[in-house]
Amino acid sequence: MARCYCRWRNVLICVCTPCICMALLFIYVAVMLCTAMNNTATPGAYGLEITHFVASGYLRKNTFAPLPKTFWGISPYGDALWNRLQLTVDRHFNPILHPNNTKRRVESSTFHESLLKQSFSEVIDLDSKWRKFDTVPQLMQEFVKHMQRRDYPILFQPDGLCGAGAKYEKGPPLLLLAIKTSELNFKNRQAIRQTWGREGWVRKGRNSTAGEEGGGYVRRVFLLGKEDPAELGVNLSDLLEIESKRYGDILQWDFRDTFFNLTLKDVLFWSWFSRSCGQTHFVFKGDDDVFVNTPKLITYLQEKLKQPQAQETLKDFMIGDVIGAALPSRVNNSKYFIPDSFYKGFYPTYAGGGGVVYSGLLTKRLHSISKRVHLFPIDDVYVGMCMIRLNAHPIHHPAFLTFDFPGKEEEKMCSYHTILLVHKRSPSQVLKLWADMEETQTKCWNVTLRDPVNNGNKL
Ligand SMILES: *[C@@H]1O[C@H](CO)[C@@H](O)[C@H](O)[C@H]1NC(C)=O
Ligand SMILES: *[C@@H]1O[C@H](CO)[C@@H](O)[C@H](O)[C@H]1NC(C)=O
Ligand SMILES: *[C@@H]1O[C@H](CO)[C@@H](O)[C@H](O)[C@H]1NC(C)=O
Ligand SMILES: *[C@@H]1O[C@H](CO)[C@@H](O)[C@H](O)[C@H]1NC(C)=O
Ligand SMILES: *[C@@H]1O[C@H](CO)[C@@H](O)[C@H](O)[C@H]1NC(C)=O
């Protein structure tokens, strides 16, 4: 009996020891894998915190600009005001100089505010040229005086909801149309409300019978500053209040509606969006003098949503008429004039401000990164400056015609069915185009968008 017991014990030891070892090894590997996966998953949890360090001189292209005389020259654009201001902020997030700042993930707004202020006092107070402000044009001086301020109060906004059209929706909205306009452009707003900016359910571009499956909810909001009543001679405040009550699509802030203040509309809109429009999949941001083919845009965006790994690609999604390697205008009577004492170097790649579409996820990321980018007087360039700091890049699509149709293409039948946006159209043209589009809907239902690859037009 005892011998038998011994034999069995030996067999048990022989068989079980490797089994137990294997089991322990398995548990160890599983635990290691889990912790490793957790570590890589957390930083991108909401896709908001990952940012990109931009070194000074990043925008330098060797084919265009001479090499710096000394390789240790820290800032190649040393004396331009914006570059200097931004350099002090960017340097703060340099992962080598300040490893702690890059690691800190969710920073408070006050932290960023103090950072911008600090860079301002460091640069402006030392720089006698900018304190005197004499050689720069009037508008530029005005801009620099106010470029630290962003806390303008809201005067009118859609009541509690994210844009007109929010009331009867059964699902999350697909698209929010955010249109830059001014108090005086009432006609433009009316034309948009009746045509491409209609809120509610929008069907796909085809004559689909799929019903509600082939479309998406669209909302609309107009972005406005204030006209100066003294300058204008009338006070439009009461009229705008009536309009806001009637349509619920007015979002107005208390700053002067000038060209150099347009960037405020981006920054403040992102902030408002992050607070009240969290669920919206896409944002269209554009001018009030464009024509948008909303049904085709809806079709296009729905396909984007259906793609595999949509969440991942949508984090960076921005599409429009992309302009690369542009230089600031140095023509001193141009609307876009930027003196080289203010900005030097190339502009980052950016999407033309006439009309651009980006994802809701990207909007929230732009909101957080914008807190550490100094305002720039040209709004679409500013968006580009925020984009490179997110390491995101706008995608070019030839169906965004911010410089109108090439040649006589417009006269072709179905030409408007091949585009997503065209600039520039008056309110009466918009009304007529929309009516034409509806008329030719069945005839042109299967034309495709202008081809992103061949840059041409498949009719
Ligand atoms: C960075 O953080 C560590 C620990 O959190 C601290 O000891 C160190 O002093 C910090 N460095 C700087 C430059 O603030
Ligand atoms: C314009 O009208 C509004 C509303 O009536 C009023 O609150 C505001 O003070 C007026 N602005 C000026 C400059 O008169
Ligand atoms: C922008 O708006 C503010 C607030 O109304 C105003 O003081 C400033 O002059 C405006 N800036 C420009 C460049 O017009
Ligand atoms: C604009 O440039 C021209 C020629 O370069 C110069 O004569 C003129 O004084 C400039 N105007 C202003 C307002 O700086
Ligand atoms: C859609 O358009 C095609 C081509 O013009 C036509 O044959 C078809 O009957 C239309 N379908 C509906 C539901 O209108």
Side-chain angles (χ1 to χ4, degrees):
M1 193 65 202
R3 265 178 70 191
C4 187
Y5 171 74
C6 259
R7 261 232 324 267
W8 276 108
R9 203 184 53 180
N10 285 345
V11 168
L12 268 178
I13 289 171
C14 279
V15 173
C16 288
T17 313
C19 283
I20 290 169
C21 285
M22 287 304 283
L24 286 175
L25 188 67
F26 177 77
I27 291 169
Y28 173 76
V29 168
V31 168
M32 290 306 282
L33 269 179
C34 278
T35 50
M37 273 160 72
N38 272 347
N39 277 350
T40 55
T42 34
Y46 292 99
L48 297 177
E49 303 91 7
I50 303 173
T51 53
H52 181 56
F53 169 65
V54 177
S56 69
Y58 173 83
L59 300 175
R60 176 168 286 256
K61 290 201 170 55
N62 290 338
T63 42
F64 294 102
L67 286 167
K69 285 203 188 78
T70 53
F71 71 85
W72 58 87
I74 294 173
S75 164
Y77 307 119
D79 55 338
L81 180 69
W82 193 91
N83 304 71
R84 283 179 59 184
L85 287 171
Q86 192 57 39
L87 180 69
T88 42
V89 179
D90 282 342
R91 196 177 280 162
H92 206 82
F93 295 96
N94 183 323
I96 296 168
L97 294 179
H98 302 278
N100 286 7
N101 294 337
T102 350
K103 272 188 222 135
R104 181 163 27 182
R105 291 231 301 275
V106 184
E107 286 135 351
S108 64
S109 296
T110 40
F111 168 73
H112 286 110
E113 240 167 61
S114 65
L115 204 60
L116 294 188
K117 268 214 182 80
Q118 190 190 328
S119 73
F120 224 85
S121 54
E122 266 173 37
V123 172
I124 291 268
D125 294 350
L126 296 177
D127 196 335
S128 53
K129 186 168 82 192
W130 278 98
R131 247 182 305 158
K132 276 194 231 122
F133 277 151
D134 40 11
T135 52
V136 243
Q138 188 71 36
L139 275 179
M140 201 70 221
Q141 294 179 22
E142 190 71 26
F143 175 81
V144 172
K145 245 188 248 163
H146 300 280
M147 76 185 272
Q148 288 193 81
R149 193 169 167 211
R150 303 182 183 197
D151 58 338
Y152 296 102
I154 291 179
L155 297 174
F156 296 111
Q157 63 178 322
D159 51 342
L161 301 164
C162 156
K167 280 176 195 147
Y168 310 104
E169 289 166 10
K170 293 183 207 114
L174 183 69
L175 179 64
L176 172 68
L177 304 167
I179 303 147
K180 293 176 273 180
T181 178
S182 66
E183 287 182 349
L184 288 170
N185 286 2
F186 176 72
K187 266 192 178 172
N188 298 52
R189 290 197 289 279
Q190 277 309 77
I192 291 169
R193 285 181 182 121
Q194 289 160 25
T195 58
W196 60 264
R198 227 180 264 171
E199 82 284 356
W201 183 261
V202 172
R203 280 202 297 163
K204 275 189 176 185
R206 299 178 185 173
N207 60 350
S208 67
T209 46
E212 300 219 334
E213 275 158 42
Y217 284 110
V218 171
R219 293 183 187 180
R220 180 189 63 230
V221 66
F222 288 106
L223 314 176
L224 294 96
K226 254 177 92 75
E227 298 293 338
D228 185 0
E231 210 172 84
L232 205 64
V234 278
N235 186 349
L236 294 172
S237 208
D238 293 339
L239 279 179
L240 205 70
E241 188 177 352
I242 297 170
E243 197 182 332
S244 173
K245 280 208 178 109
R246 170 105 166 69
Y247 297 104
D249 58 2
I250 300 287
L251 179 55
Q252 189 191 30
W253 295 275
D254 193 6
F255 62 80
R256 272 183 60 210
D257 212 336
T258 58
F259 180 67
F260 275 5
N261 264 348
L262 280 182
T263 311
L264 285 172
K265 290 189 185 174
D266 287 88
V267 173
L268 297 175
F269 167 71
W270 293 338
S271 160
W272 177 82
F273 180 93
S274 304
R275 260 181 286 130
S276 33
C277 296
Q279 299 295 309
T280 312
H281 289 298
F282 295 100
V283 171
F284 164 87
K285 172 140 184 306
D287 290 336
D288 63 354
D289 57 354
V290 299
F291 179 80
V292 180
N293 185 349
T294 321
K296 270 269 158 69
L297 185 58
I298 294 282
T299 315
Y300 180 83
L301 294 178
Q302 277 202 323
E303 275 158 24
K304 272 270 161 260
L305 269 187
K306 279 191 205 125
Q307 277 175 359
Q309 275 149 8
Q311 283 302 307
E312 203 43 40
T313 51
L314 286 185
K315 222 168 64 103
D316 289 345
F317 177 76
M318 176 181 281
I319 192 162
D321 184 7
V322 173
I323 300 156
L327 280 166
S329 165
R330 304 293 192 211
V331 181
N332 67 7
N333 52 11
S334 155
K335 178 176 158 188
Y336 300 95
F337 172 62
I338 298 289
D340 69 351
S341 53
F342 184 76
Y343 183 84
K344 270 192 195 160
F346 284 85
Y347 285 152
T349 302
Y350 66 96
V356 51
V357 176
Y358 42 82
S359 67
L361 280 175
L362 182 61
T363 314
K364 291 183 214 163
R365 296 177 68 210
L366 284 168
H367 168 57
S368 37
I369 200 79
S370 70
K371 291 176 197 161
R372 58 163 101 152
V373 185
H374 276 286
L375 293 180
F376 192 80
I378 296 172
D379 61 342
D380 40 11
V381 172
Y382 179 77
V383 178
M385 287 165 165
C386 292
M387 287 286 280
I388 54 165
R389 283 168 180 81
L390 290 171
N391 202 15
H393 306 279
I395 308 163
H396 181 72
H397 198 300
F400 285 80
L401 299 178
T402 39
F403 298 101
D404 218 321
F405 284 96
K408 296 204 163 164
E409 209 181 283
E410 183 180 2
E411 290 157 20
K412 282 190 200 156
M413 170 109 159
C414 298
S415 56
Y416 280 88
H417 292 266
T418 68
I419 57 143
L420 292 174
L421 171 136
V422 64
H423 182 253
K424 114 186 226 175
R425 296 290 180 271
S426 71
S428 55
Q429 281 172 321
V430 165
L431 289 169
K432 181 163 184 314
L433 282 173
W434 189 254
D436 288 351
M437 290 266 294
E438 294 200 320
E439 218 166 80
T440 51
Q441 189 75 0
T442 40
K443 251 184 247 160
C444 301
W445 75 279
N446 60 352
V447 297
T448 52
L449 285 179
R450 288 162 61 84
D451 191 336
V453 181
N454 302 326
N455 209 27
N457 182 7
K458 283 197 265 171
L459 276 179

